[in-house]
């Protein structure tokens, strides 16, 4: 146990590459091998301390999994991290021949994206470990979540965004209290600026997978999904993959659930979804490689998955392969089309990254990698309202009599 009062079940941290152990009660970035650190728990003690049926009596937020989390209760910095609903896309499914398609709608979380799961944990742990200043590179949503939780915790934050980050993201980050900068480069360039500034500024670097706790937050997606499905996994999960925190986190969640006896050996096939304009994991998956080379000239409408190089590449590829899943790239045109279809058919407004998972679902169904017998979960990782939408409205002149017959005829095509 890392804490004298025994209020968490953390035992130590472990290098995801070499297995080397590190003490849990101090600040870490990457391991000595330059790889992500994973948090390890006394899982037998968790199994003895709590029963899965007990969870039903707890608040419907991610702190219901507190035994599997590293934060001591007094350090929790919360904005209400609600459980997110599973929404069956019934009409969409009917049109596609009847498979079960479930969207997990992460847009309901604070700051409108699942980045809240990771950052609530990273910032709470930063508070626990005495950090007073934090910096990160972001494509938008992570910066917004960092800014919000940082302000709430009274921790100073510095956020660096690629200059073409959607305006709404840059503005929400600044409005929520971060010192916010546009950078003429991509996210890895922003990451370099954060890393190189550490010594001069003393800020703590919470870049994706460069500190151990964002994975723990994202892990709750896996815990929550399995609980919501009645302690079962779906057949296949389509995950929009940038840095891969969520995919890695969910894979870890399933292993921990099995270790405490709440889940059997079954696993969903994990599908890493990327955009054709930035698909380093797909290229590495298809080449049978363990690591992914940097993707040059990355571009896609789905900014959240525009990540040319991921420090956890080998963990993403391992989870995909061990699960019997695959990696798949979709075009920007198919992302736009997918977003339009699900919004019109099922009334769920996806973010572009979420739409990418539906585009990938359709593509996988068409090429036979999955079938309508598979129960599929798609991750809609952010609120669709944060992203540009096409203008499809017509006009009515209020100063003229309205010709309702003509209006109906035109509306119904
Ligand atoms: C960050 C982000 C992703 C990618 O998530 P990772 O777990 O880092 O791969 C996908 N979609 C949106 C909207 C995001 O903000």
């Amino acid at each position: 146990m890392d804490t004298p009062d025994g209020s968490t079940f953390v035992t130590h941290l472990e290098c995801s590459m070499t297995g080397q152990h590190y003490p849990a009660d101090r600040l870490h970035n990457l391991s000595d091998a330059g790889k992500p650190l994973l948090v390890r728990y006394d899982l037998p003690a968790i199994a003895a301390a709590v029963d899965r049926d007990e969870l039903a009596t707890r608040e419907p937020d991610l702190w219901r999994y507190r035994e599997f989390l590293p934060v001591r209760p007094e350090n929790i910095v919360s904005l209400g991290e609600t459980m997110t609903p599973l929404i069956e896309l019934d009409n969409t499914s009917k049109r596609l021949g009847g498979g079960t398609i479930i969207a997990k709608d992460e847009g309901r979380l604070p700051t409108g994206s699942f980045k809240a799961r990771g950052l609530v944990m990273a910032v709470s742990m930063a508070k626990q470990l005495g950090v007073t200043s934090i910096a990160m590179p972001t494509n938008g949503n992570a910066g917004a979540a960092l800014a919000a939780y940082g302000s709430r915790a009274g921790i100073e934050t510095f956020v660096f965004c690629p200059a073409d980050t959607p305006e709404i993201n840059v503005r929400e980050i600044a409005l929520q209290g971060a010192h916010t900068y546009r950078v003429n480069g991509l996210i890895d360039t922003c990451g370099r600026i954060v890393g190189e500034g550490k010594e001069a500024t003393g800020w703590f670097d919470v870049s994706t997978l460069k500190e151990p706790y964002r994975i723990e937050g994202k892990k709750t997606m896996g815990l929550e999904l399995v609980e919501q499905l009645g302690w079962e996994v779906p057949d296949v999960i389509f995950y929009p993959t940038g840095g891969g925190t969520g995919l890695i986190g969910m894979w870890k969640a399933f292993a921990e659930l099995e270790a405490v006896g709440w889940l059997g050996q079954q696993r969903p096939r994990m599908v890493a979804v990327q955009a054709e304009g930035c698909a380093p994991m797909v290229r590495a998956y298809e080449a049978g490689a363990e690591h992914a080379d940097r993707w040059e000239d990355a571009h896609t409408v789905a900014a959240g998955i525009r990540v040319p190089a991921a420090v956890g590449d080998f963990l993403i590829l391992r989870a995909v392969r061990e699960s019997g899943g695959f990696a798949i790239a979709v075009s920007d045109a198919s992302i736009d089309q997918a977003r339009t279809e699900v919004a019109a058919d099922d009334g769920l407004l996806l973010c572009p990254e979420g739409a990418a998972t539906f585009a990938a679902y359709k593509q996988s169904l068409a090429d036979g990698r999955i079938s309508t017998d598979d129960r599929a979960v798609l991750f809609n990782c952010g609120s669709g309202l944060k992203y540009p939408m096409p203008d499809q409205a017509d006009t009515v002149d209020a100063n003229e009599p309205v010709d309702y017959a003509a209006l109906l005829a035109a509306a119904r095509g």
Side-chain angles (χ1 to χ4, degrees), residues 178-344:
H179 305 290
T180 310
Y181 305 89
R182 294 186 181 88
V183 178
N184 53 341
L186 290 184
I187 189 159
D188 44 356
T189 306
C190 298
R192 176 176 60 72
I193 290 169
V194 168
E196 288 176 0
K198 275 199 280 191
E199 231 165 275
T201 61
W203 63 40
F204 183 62
D205 180 355
V206 298
S207 300
T208 303
L209 299 184
K210 288 191 181 162
E211 63 75 58
Y213 302 109
R214 286 175 63 183
I215 294 183
E216 294 308 290
K218 284 278 198 87
K219 181 179 86 178
T220 61
M221 291 190 292
L223 303 173
E224 195 173 298
L225 179 62
V226 170
E227 186 189 359
Q228 286 173 315
L229 294 176
W231 305 104
E232 281 183 17
V233 295
D235 296 306
V236 57
I237 290 178
F238 285 85
Y239 186 80
T241 306
T245 323
L247 197 150
I248 297 164
M250 283 193 279
W251 197 241
K252 184 172 189 282
F254 302 144
E256 291 176 356
L257 287 174
E258 185 181 348
V260 298
W262 296 5
L263 181 70
Q265 289 180 340
Q266 68 274 29
R267 294 289 183 275
R269 298 171 71 200
M270 305 295 284
V271 178
V273 178
Q274 299 204 297
E276 281 177 0
C278 183
M281 295 307 140
V282 180
R283 188 169 59 188
Y285 170 77
E286 285 173 355
E290 206 201 340
H291 290 272
D293 294 331
R294 184 176 195 277
W295 189 276
E296 299 304 329
D297 302 320
H299 60 89
T300 166
V301 292
I305 52 176
R306 192 180 60 171
V307 180
V311 57
D313 54 359
F314 65 107
L315 297 172
I316 297 169
L317 290 162
R318 260 185 218 168
V320 165
R321 290 192 176 114
E322 280 175 26
S323 74
F326 51 93
I328 183 170
V330 295
S331 68
D332 277 8
S334 73
I335 291 175
D336 288 340
Q337 173 69 21
R339 193 169 181 226
T340 303
E341 283 175 16
V342 175

Side-chain angles (χ1 to χ4, degrees), residues 96-117:
L96 292 179
T100 304
I101 313 171
I102 301 169
K104 187 154 175 63
D105 190 13
E106 297 279 294
R108 319 290 176 103
L109 284 157
T111 70
S113 89
F114 66 2
K115 289 296 192 303
R117 292 185 189 265

Side-chain angles (χ1 to χ4, degrees), residues 87-96 98-101 345-346:
I87 300 171
E88 285 206 34
L89 304 183
D90 295 321
N91 297 331
T92 302
S93 159
K94 261 184 223 127
R95 196 164 49 74
L96 292 179
T100 304
I101 313 171
D345 287 348
D346 271 302

